[in-house]
Amino acid sequence: MTNSILSDWTTPFELAPFAQISDDDFAPALDQAMAAHNAEIDAIAANTEAPSFANTVEALEAAGEDLNKVLSVFFTVAGADSNPKREELQRAFSPKLAAHFAAISSNKALFSRVADLWDRRDGLDLTEEQARVLMLSHRGFVRAGAALEGDADARMQEIKSRLATLGTSFTQNLLADERDWYMDLSEDDLHGLPDFVVDAARAAGKEKGVDGPVVTLSRSIIVPFLQFSPRRDLREKAYRAWTARGANGGETDNREIAAEILTLRQERAQLLGYDSFADYKLETEMARTPGRVRDLLMQVWEPATAQADADAEVLTEMMQDDGVNGPLEAWDWRYYAEKRRKAEHDLDEAALKPYLQLDRMIEASFACANRLFGLEFAPLDVPLYHPDCRAWEVTRNGQHVAVFIGDYFARGSKRSGAWCSAMRAQAKFPKVQAPVVINVCNFAKGDPALLSYDDARTLFHEFGHALHQMLSNVTYESISGTSVARDFVELPSQLYEHWLEVPEVLAEYATHAETGEPMPQEMLAKVLNAANFDQGFQTVEYVASALVDLAFHDGAAPADPMVKQAEMLAELGMPHAIGMRHATPHFAHVFAGDGYSSGYYSYMWSEVMDADAFAAFEEAGGAFDAERAKALEDNILSTGGSREAEDLYLAFRGRLPGVEALLKGRGLIAA
């Protein structure tokens, strides 16, 4: 019987046939696909012909098609719709895949062929893109340890396998803590909560199989609860549970896992000749060195903490006016900040939220992409992995560009956060293929679903990543779409957030859920004027996480990361009533895999550029200036990793920005 995953996909646009795939298909499909990939790799390595770009680098690019199919389907459902069977499979797959890819990256015969090409690169008559792919391929082998011999080589393979297992365990522990905890609310506990929070709590209770409303650890529920609940005791209980994820003791505790991960990363870096893991990791990023990262973060930290300290004094006074003595606590900040926003900006999120319907915000993100890049979006009726998912065909001038899938609602089977991934990346070799791109979010369900302003910004952010994938126009998949430096990958996503704040966009798409009326001009003005409200808090909680991440990896690995975290926050003078956005035991960006390790600063590095990049539109013909949109697509969105990130930005803007644009954009210094 043919495995549905490995069969020819005859579905529309060759989408994965989710309706035909069962969990029992994954393990045999993986084994078969890995065997096929190994045979392809062995054939390349054993080729008796002299190495050429075609028989070595392009052959590597073409290898592993079946494995890509298996992994794209499996990791999509494992992240967005997990179950015990899928979690078991993920635990089994992680070390197996780590060993598989480690064997390839340490294959001496294969590396010898790539190294031979690298040594002869000037005489190979390669295109600019081919030269880039060769450089990245050679660098990837070297950084993976292909040049190591003997015991060092064997130890590197052990480290990679163990890190893969630990990263999976960290993720699953976090998912378990988020899935298992909830707090029942009585009808009295709902007092003071806006209707949209009550509706979300009732929907969450239904999803949990509970007869009544609950608060869960989904950000789209717990943050509004912390903003609006007048019950300080319940806010404290919810906040403590939220910040204790991964640190509750028992089988799901992540603290020892984090410590082992940091130790293994340090050993890995030293095997490759680097002083620290941060030195190793940042070598290929725009930032290049830990020192440059720290300089950026500290330039932002000082004005951010000054603003946060001033804000804390105001909020403390408000709290004391309510008869609450003692210091302002972390579970108080959002509640009093929301009251302050309502008082100072006359902006009530409960009144604002009906104007931010999910469907209308999706329309807005599509409409901006249409005006900027000429993209059209038509709904598709195709089987997907969960009933909540929706799909659209993306076209331009009648030509197919991509398939876009949106999976927007929170559920217990989905890991927290929001992300964009490509089930199939754009490429022209070994065959022309259009991308299949997914945005996954965790918004609260409702009828209709309503977003907070932060939720709407998240939707635009993830769609910016999707545009980076959909508009990619390169030959080789290895440099397609978001395959760029980590501290550059957030530029398109953070830049796209700016179009949410364009007045004409909100005026057209921010319509009331019940009346259909557009957002009143007075409210629109208040929304835009309050865009930088509470930026001291938001900046401090983010930068603290980024600095702790850097401290973990810049130097010897800490014996106890929790002690190191506490020391770092004390050294920084972390405001008492602000917690890190991601404390160590639930810092999935850093510990679920290597992606953002030593790299959580990337959002801020990219923000330096996104503030400057949007200014380029404003300096030209406005937010929808056609010439600037074309320059953005030609130099950044379509180019993937075909050139160095710094060169791509210079081609778009003509210069590199300083941190001032970011500080002004966040309202931390005067405009």
Side-chain angles (χ1 to χ4, degrees), residues 174 355 391 439 457 486 611:
L174 182 54
Y355 290 97
N439 276 179
R457 187 181 287 114
R486 181 65 64 176

PDB file of all heavy atoms in Angstrom, residues 174 355 391 439 457 486 611:
ATOM      1  N   LEU A 174       6.926  22.645  27.725  1.00  0.00           N
ATOM      2  CA  LEU A 174       6.253  23.941  27.717  1.00  0.00           C
ATOM      3  C   LEU A 174       4.815  23.801  27.233  1.00  0.00           C
ATOM      4  O   LEU A 174       3.885  24.360  27.836  1.00  0.00           O
ATOM      5  CB  LEU A 174       7.031  24.903  26.823  1.00  0.00           C
ATOM      6  CG  LEU A 174       6.531  26.340  26.701  1.00  0.00           C
ATOM      7  CD1 LEU A 174       6.383  26.989  28.067  1.00  0.00           C
ATOM      8  CD2 LEU A 174       7.484  27.158  25.822  1.00  0.00           C
ATOM      9  N   TYR A 355     -13.939  47.025  16.609  1.00  0.00           N
ATOM     10  CA  TYR A 355     -13.535  47.550  15.305  1.00  0.00           C
ATOM     11  C   TYR A 355     -12.394  46.738  14.683  1.00  0.00           C
ATOM     12  O   TYR A 355     -12.024  46.984  13.540  1.00  0.00           O
ATOM     13  CB  TYR A 355     -13.096  49.014  15.431  1.00  0.00           C
ATOM     14  CG  TYR A 355     -14.237  49.957  15.731  1.00  0.00           C
ATOM     15  CD1 TYR A 355     -14.501  50.366  17.034  1.00  0.00           C
ATOM     16  CD2 TYR A 355     -15.061  50.415  14.707  1.00  0.00           C
ATOM     17  CE1 TYR A 355     -15.550  51.235  17.314  1.00  0.00           C
ATOM     18  CE2 TYR A 355     -16.112  51.282  14.976  1.00  0.00           C
ATOM     19  CZ  TYR A 355     -16.356  51.676  16.276  1.00  0.00           C
ATOM     20  OH  TYR A 355     -17.405  52.531  16.550  1.00  0.00           O
ATOM     21  N   ALA A 391      -7.547  28.768   3.452  1.00  0.00           N
ATOM     22  CA  ALA A 391      -6.524  28.873   2.417  1.00  0.00           C
ATOM     23  C   ALA A 391      -6.974  29.820   1.315  1.00  0.00           C
ATOM     24  O   ALA A 391      -8.172  29.958   1.040  1.00  0.00           O
ATOM     25  CB  ALA A 391      -6.207  27.494   1.836  1.00  0.00           C
ATOM     26  N   ASN A 439       0.629  30.987   8.017  1.00  0.00           N
ATOM     27  CA  ASN A 439       0.694  31.835   9.210  1.00  0.00           C
ATOM     28  C   ASN A 439      -0.087  31.143  10.321  1.00  0.00           C
ATOM     29  O   ASN A 439      -1.255  30.783  10.136  1.00  0.00           O
ATOM     30  CB  ASN A 439       0.072  33.206   8.961  1.00  0.00           C
ATOM     31  CG  ASN A 439       1.021  34.205   8.319  1.00  0.00           C
ATOM     32  OD1 ASN A 439       0.643  35.333   8.042  1.00  0.00           O
ATOM     33  ND2 ASN A 439       2.263  33.812   8.080  1.00  0.00           N
ATOM     34  N   ARG A 457      -1.502  43.741  15.134  1.00  0.00           N
ATOM     35  CA  ARG A 457      -0.109  43.953  14.739  1.00  0.00           C
ATOM     36  C   ARG A 457       0.586  42.617  14.489  1.00  0.00           C
ATOM     37  O   ARG A 457       1.369  42.479  13.541  1.00  0.00           O
ATOM     38  CB  ARG A 457       0.615  44.744  15.835  1.00  0.00           C
ATOM     39  CG  ARG A 457       2.029  45.166  15.441  1.00  0.00           C
ATOM     40  CD  ARG A 457       2.729  45.932  16.538  1.00  0.00           C
ATOM     41  NE  ARG A 457       2.212  47.280  16.691  1.00  0.00           N
ATOM     42  CZ  ARG A 457       1.559  47.712  17.758  1.00  0.00           C
ATOM     43  NH1 ARG A 457       1.339  46.898  18.770  1.00  0.00           N
ATOM     44  NH2 ARG A 457       1.123  48.948  17.817  1.00  0.00           N
ATOM     45  N   ARG A 486      19.598  35.753  10.542  1.00  0.00           N
ATOM     46  CA  ARG A 486      18.544  35.803  11.554  1.00  0.00           C
ATOM     47  C   ARG A 486      18.204  37.232  11.947  1.00  0.00           C
ATOM     48  O   ARG A 486      17.043  37.551  12.214  1.00  0.00           O
ATOM     49  CB  ARG A 486      18.983  34.996  12.774  1.00  0.00           C
ATOM     50  CG  ARG A 486      17.986  34.929  13.902  1.00  0.00           C
ATOM     51  CD  ARG A 486      16.722  34.190  13.521  1.00  0.00           C
ATOM     52  NE  ARG A 486      16.975  32.786  13.208  1.00  0.00           N
ATOM     53  CZ  ARG A 486      16.006  31.905  12.923  1.00  0.00           C
ATOM     54  NH1 ARG A 486      14.753  32.292  12.918  1.00  0.00           N
ATOM     55  NH2 ARG A 486      16.301  30.658  12.637  1.00  0.00           N
ATOM     56  N   ALA A 611      12.153  50.854  10.957  1.00  0.00           N
ATOM     57  CA  ALA A 611      11.738  52.244  11.162  1.00  0.00           C
ATOM     58  C   ALA A 611      12.292  53.123  10.045  1.00  0.00           C
ATOM     59  O   ALA A 611      11.603  54.000   9.510  1.00  0.00           O
ATOM     60  CB  ALA A 611      12.233  52.728  12.527  1.00  0.00           C
TER      61      ALA A 611
END
